[in-house]
Amino acid sequence: MSVIDAIDCYDRFTKTVFKVTQVGRDGKFKHKVLEKAFKDVIKRQVGTEDERMLDARDNACKTFVCSRVAQDLSAGIPQLFRTYQSPEANTYNCMIWEAARATSAAPTFFGQISIAGPGYPKQSYIDGGVGRNNPTKQILEEAQLIFPDRHVTCIISIGAGKASTISIPKPSLFQRIIPTELIRATIAIATDCETIEQEIAQRFRNVPDFYYRFNVEQGMQSIGLAEFDKMENVVAHTNQYIRMEEAKQRLTKVVSALCQRKALLPIPQIGMQILG
């Protein structure tokens, strides 16, 4: 898809998926509707809804999405569904819609999905955003495995808008029994992207014009994940952000870096940066 086609598809997609809610089940929205929407998009693009993740083409862009094994969230290790084989571990060649469902199964929004395959035990997965909403570190670790002899021109990280300040409010009498606000604050902490962003920015602070983070500063805090009817607000806040002088300058530098493709850092050196 072109960028314009992808945006148009996403707009139609959200209106379908988030239109109807359900009560008393696993998740606020119907995961069957989500699955069908994924399958429709995939079939429209490649001719079959059962297309699998692995892409053996020489010029294929290597891509992964993050999920988490629902039975063991304490380990903090993401499950990556890849479009390429990893030298570190066998990549399960699940269907694209299965990987998309796994990385979209945000708790309280959609039910988890069970995926099984030849030689793989059946496991349940939830959204990788629980602790991996900003997967920059995973990208750099994967680059070490796949491109050990290559150099990196730049790293570009695009956020979904800065969140509100995370805090744990004083509980009411009801919340002392069922601490709903505490639960919400815990989820917010788990999905907060800025901690990773600050860590990566600090690690590459001495490498000029290498790490770029774009994230709308104001206006996105009040827009929920399922509020598809506020897309105009998202567009307005984003346009305002990229017109700000600092963002404009960084965009110019990014375009220059991508066009020139200078080999700034060897990937093994990036690995050293990650390890500290």
Side-chain angles (χ1 to χ4, degrees):
M1 290 183 177
S2 68
V3 172
I4 293 175
D5 289 342
I7 292 173
D8 180 62
C9 177
Y10 179 76
D11 188 42
R12 288 183 279 108
F13 185 94
T14 54
K15 290 174 182 176
T16 300
V17 170
F18 294 120
K19 185 175 291 185
V20 181
T21 60
Q22 60 182 4
V23 179
R25 295 196 176 191
D26 186 11
K28 182 179 179 180
F29 301 97
K30 297 178 179 180
H31 68 266
K32 291 293 185 184
V33 175
L34 179 65
E35 287 178 10
K36 185 179 185 305
F38 279 135
K39 291 176 180 179
D40 288 346
V41 172
I42 294 163
K43 185 174 182 178
R44 198 158 52 239
Q45 292 302 123
V46 298
T48 173
E49 65 184 36
D50 293 328
E51 184 77 0
R52 293 189 175 270
M53 282 289 285
L54 288 182
D55 190 343
R57 295 175 299 171
D58 292 336
N59 63 342
C61 178
K62 290 178 170 53
T63 306
F64 68 79
V65 295
C66 289
S67 185
R68 298 287 295 278
V69 177
Q71 289 86 352
D72 189 13
L73 295 177
S74 60
I77 301 173
Q79 168 69 46
L80 304 187
F81 291 98
R82 303 173 175 91
T83 63
Y84 54 91
Q85 287 288 1
S86 167
E88 188 177 60
N90 288 332
T91 298
Y92 170 47
N93 191 19
C94 67
M95 285 179 277
I96 294 174
W97 74 261
E98 290 179 310
R101 261 284 283 128
T103 198
S104 303
T108 74
F109 279 82
F110 298 104
Q112 53 191 247
I113 179 175
S114 294
I115 300 176
Y120 289 84
K122 190 173 185 179
Q123 286 189 309
S124 296
Y125 297 95
I126 65 169
D127 175 21
V130 181
R132 288 296 184 279
N133 231 19
N134 183 339
T136 307
K137 291 174 70 174
Q138 279 65 50
I139 290 170
L140 299 180
E141 290 168 1
E142 287 291 291
Q144 276 190 278
L145 293 172
I146 308 302
F147 308 112
D149 301 322
R150 303 282 286 274
H151 285 68
V152 176
T153 294
C154 64
I155 298 168
I156 303 172
S157 175
I158 303 176
K162 286 196 173 181
S164 303
T165 301
I166 296 173
S167 62
I168 298 178
K170 184 178 180 180
S172 64
L173 177 61
F174 176 72
Q175 289 163 354
R176 290 170 193 167
I177 302 170
I178 304 177
T180 54
E181 292 300 328
L182 179 59
I183 293 170
R184 290 194 190 102
T186 303
I187 293 174
I189 290 168
T191 57
D192 182 39
C193 298
E194 295 306 307
T195 300
I196 297 295
E197 193 281 323
Q198 289 296 311
E199 182 179 339
I200 299 296
Q202 183 176 0
R203 290 183 180 184
F204 295 112
R205 66 185 183 276
N206 296 324
V207 187
D209 301 331
F210 182 74
Y211 173 68
Y212 298 92
R213 170 75 169 175
F214 296 96
N215 202 18
V216 176
E217 299 280 346
Q218 296 294 332
M220 306 287 273
Q221 295 91 335
S222 61
I223 301 176
L225 292 175
E227 294 182 301
F228 62 87
D229 55 333
K230 294 186 178 180
M231 189 62 70
E232 289 183 359
N233 301 50
V234 173
V235 173
H237 295 313
T238 303
N239 283 337
Q240 182 65 27
Y241 169 73
I242 62 177
R243 290 171 61 191
M244 297 174 66
E245 189 59 33
E246 183 183 356
K248 283 169 60 178
Q249 290 181 13
R250 284 187 288 120
L251 278 169
T252 300
K253 289 182 178 180
V254 163
V255 172
S256 176
L258 292 175
C259 291
Q260 295 178 30
R261 302 180 72 87
K262 291 182 180 178
L264 286 185
L265 274 184
I267 284 181
Q269 189 173 337
I270 288 180
M272 292 171 63
Q273 295 273 0
I274 295 173
L275 294 173

